[in-house]
Structure formats: structure tokens, C-alpha cells
Amino acid sequence: MNFYNYCSNCRCLKCNVNACSCKKVCRLPRVHIGPFRATGPTELLSVNRIYVANFNDNTVSVIDGATNAVIATIPVGVNPAGVAVNPLTNRIYVGNLNSDDVSVIDGSTNTIIATVPAGDGASAVAVNTATNVIYVANFNDSTVSVINGFTNTVVATIIPVGGLSLPTGVGVNSLTNIIYVANFNFDIVSVIDGFTNAVITQIPVGVNPFRVGVNPNTNRIYVSNFTSNTVSVIDGATNTVIATVPVGTTPGEVAVNIASNKIYVPNRDSDNVSVIDGATNTVIATIPVGDNPNGVGVNPLTNLIYITNQDDNTVSVINGVTNTVIATISVGARPFSVGVNP
């Protein structure tokens, strides 16, 4: 069992073999954000939009954050597993695990404007809003693709560790131009210099690091450790782990509210969300959500948090003041990841 393919017939979607013998995936266990600016004299703004990658039906659901209504469904590549948003350009980037590419969505029209070939198993995606560069973790070939957001072309391929590291998460600090890559198989986070695309250090974290969240204002990096049920807190100034926070069972993605300095972590097998206070590195609330939550996105302007529930085919909307679910939205089949354009 693994974190990408919960298959009832126990077959790997990538290799089409029995999951127990698949060597790529199935042998595993189960953003600088601010007010939107104009992008052109005639372009519509996509303020307060939520983008949900539906892994099993190869679409992205677009939610209007003001009404909690799905206003568009966009076909993308095969098994979308990661979403990142650049609010400065109104572009949304979707990593498609089993078509090995990235779909680029124009937020003003909700259409695909480019499909960028990446590495084998393109999944997690992160954007540097300062440089308009996109980073894609390629799970199966253990590389990171670097995409120029102006040209929609791959300009570099980084090997963050070497060997079968299985990168599953990537995060960017746009203020420092440093990129953080979670290497699931090696229990480390690679730190990449965005100026040189070189790995500058490796940081040991918990068991099977999965996804990465970054608070550029505090220069703190948060890494969910899938098997040790913790979040590692990294000081970006020293590249050291300064705290290890116990959360729920099999934590998924990580999102930071830069306005409140709260960190949100959905826990798949305990069906809840851990809320971490970034000032104290302690869990201050645990919020019940749907079945098998994985993805999380935050709108810091509205203080609303969006959680994808994979086995419910829903998104839970959490009020960040009351720490309660205030709405549940039906989306596509097996919603995996979520991105927010505030």
C-alpha cells in the first residue's frame, strides 16, 4: 500500500503490475501569498479561488471561495497529485504523476495553456513567486524539474540526493530563493540554492518525509513525516531541525497561514487536521474532517483552510478562528492535493 495508489485490485497504476511486486511506487507504505494584483489590462482576476487535483478522474475542480461552489472542472494529465499557484501571474501548476508532466492553467479562463514534460512521476509542485520558477518533484526518477514560468520550459533537472530517494514534497522560500525537497526513501530534506540549482546541504528529519510547507516571514520549514507521525520544524537560517511536533496518524500535506503563523496538517488515518502554533511548535487544536484527508491549502486573507478528503470525494472548509468545519464541498474522484489563489 502507498500514498499515491490506493487500488482496490492492488495494482500499480504506473506499472500495471501487482502492487506487491512493483519496484517504483507500490512497495512503499501506504506560498508567498498576498493580495492579488492585476496581470494585464483585460485579464480577469481569479481572487479567492481554490484548485483541487482529483487523482482518479484526471481533473482539477475550481471552487469559488466566496460561495463554496465548484465553478469549473478542468481536464488535466493522468493522476494529478500536486497543485501550486502563482498569484502574481494567475497561473496554476498541476503535477501529473502518471503522465509525467505539468499542466499549466490560466486562472482567468480556467483553461490549459501549456503542458510541460517533466520527469518520471511528476507530483508535488512549488512556485517561487519572486523569480517565476516552478519546481516539480519527480517521484519515480528521483529528480526535480525546474520550469521557467515565462516560457513554460524545463531549464534544469536537479538530482537532490542520488539513488532511489523518491522525492515526494517540495517547498520554496521566495524571500531567500531556497528550495526544500522531501526525500521519502532516505529520511532527509535536500536544500537547493535557487540561484545555482545546486544542493547545498541535507537535513535529517523523521521517517518517510512526505510534503513541505514554508513560512517565508519566519524562515521556518515544516515537513510531514509520513511514517513517524510527526512534523519536523527546520530553521532556514541554520538548516537544522529545531522541533519535532507529534501530529496524527500518517500526516499528508502541510500548509502555512502566513497571517496567523498557524500550520495545518491533515492526518490520513486519524481523519483529522492538526493545527500547529508556529510560535510555540505545539498542536493547539485537532479538527475532525472527512475520510482519509490528504491535501491542504490556506487563504490567509479569509483565514479559511481547505482539506481534501480522498475517500469522501469532498473538501472540508475550516474556519481558522473557530477551528471548526463550516462547509463540505463535493468535488471529483479522490481529491488529493489543493492550491489556493487568495
Side-chain angles (χ1 to χ4, degrees), residues 249-263:
T249 309
T250 51
E253 296 190 348
V254 185
V256 178
N257 187 334
I258 60 172
S260 64
N261 197 18
K262 300 293 187 295
I263 300 90

Side-chain angles (χ1 to χ4, degrees), residues 3-5 13 51-61 74-83 93-103 105 112 121-125 211 253 294 308 310 332-338:
F3 41 74
Y4 286 128
N5 297 324
L13 295 177
Y51 301 88
V52 180
N54 302 304
F55 187 90
N56 278 0
D57 65 12
N58 306 327
T59 63
V60 168
S61 298
I74 307 168
V76 289
V78 181
N79 301 132
V83 183
Y93 300 89
V94 182
N96 302 302
L97 180 76
N98 286 327
S99 55
D100 305 331
D101 54 28
V102 174
S103 299
I105 298 172
I112 302 292
S123 52
V125 188
R211 290 279 163 120
E253 296 190 348
N294 179 74
T308 62
Q310 297 180 96
R334 196 163 171 248
F336 192 85
S337 186
V338 58

Side-chain angles (χ1 to χ4, degrees), residues 12-314:
C12 173
L13 295 177
K14 181 75 180 179
C15 306
N16 195 29
V17 298
N18 183 277
C20 297
S21 62
C22 173
K23 295 181 180 179
K24 286 187 176 179
V25 177
C26 285
R27 293 182 66 187
L28 294 173
R30 290 211 283 158
V31 273
H32 186 84
I33 298 175
F36 201 87
R37 316 99 312 262
T39 57
T42 62
E43 186 169 0
L44 297 175
L45 305 183
S46 345
V47 178
N48 200 6
R49 296 288 185 265
I50 298 87
Y51 301 88
V52 180
N54 302 304
F55 187 90
N56 278 0
D57 65 12
N58 306 327
T59 63
V60 168
S61 298
V62 184
I63 298 170
D64 183 336
T67 63
N68 289 328
V70 175
I71 58 174
T73 302
I74 307 168
V76 289
V78 181
N79 301 132
V83 183
V85 177
N86 188 340
L88 299 179
T89 62
N90 202 10
R91 298 291 181 262
I92 301 89
Y93 300 89
V94 182
N96 302 302
L97 180 76
N98 286 327
S99 55
D100 305 331
D101 54 28
V102 174
S103 299
V104 184
I105 298 172
D106 182 340
S108 64
T109 61
N110 289 325
T111 57
I112 302 292
I113 59 172
T115 300
V116 184
D120 187 358
S123 52
V125 188
V127 176
N128 186 334
T129 57
T131 60
N132 196 17
V133 174
I134 299 90
Y135 299 87
V136 186
N138 301 308
F139 176 77
N140 288 323
D141 67 12
S142 299
T143 64
V144 173
S145 297
V146 183
I147 297 173
N148 182 318
F150 296 103
T151 63
N152 290 322
T153 57
V154 173
V155 295
T157 301
I158 305 169
I159 302 174
V161 182
L164 196 65
S165 67
L166 306 181
T168 51
V170 58
V172 174
N173 187 333
S174 295
L175 299 183
T176 61
N177 199 14
I178 300 295
I179 300 91
Y180 302 88
V181 180
N183 298 284
F184 187 91
N185 218 22
F186 289 170
D187 303 339
I188 58 173
V189 169
S190 298
V191 183
I192 297 170
D193 184 333
F195 293 103
T196 63
N197 288 326
V199 176
I200 55 178
T201 193
Q202 313 277 7
I203 306 171
V205 287
V207 180
N208 299 138
F210 182 45
R211 290 279 163 120
V212 181
V214 177
N215 188 335
N217 294 338
T218 62
N219 200 11
R220 295 289 183 266
I221 300 88
Y222 302 89
V223 182
S224 61
N225 300 305
F226 196 80
T227 301
S228 57
N229 304 324
T230 60
V231 169
S232 297
V233 183
I234 296 170
D235 182 341
T238 62
N239 288 325
T240 57
V241 173
I242 58 172
T244 300
V245 185
V247 289
T249 309
T250 51
E253 296 190 348
V254 185
V256 178
N257 187 334
I258 60 172
S260 64
N261 197 18
K262 300 293 187 295
I263 300 90
Y264 298 86
V265 184
N267 304 299
R268 290 183 171 199
D269 292 331
S270 48
D271 296 336
N272 55 30
V273 175
S274 299
V275 184
I276 299 171
D277 185 337
T280 62
N281 291 323
T282 57
V283 173
I284 57 173
T286 302
I287 307 167
V289 287
D291 192 358
N292 197 13
N294 179 74
V296 56
V298 172
N299 188 334
L301 302 183
T302 62
N303 201 9
L304 296 180
I305 301 91
Y306 300 87
I307 308 294
T308 62
N309 303 304
Q310 297 180 96
D311 293 346
D312 284 350
N313 298 332
T314 63

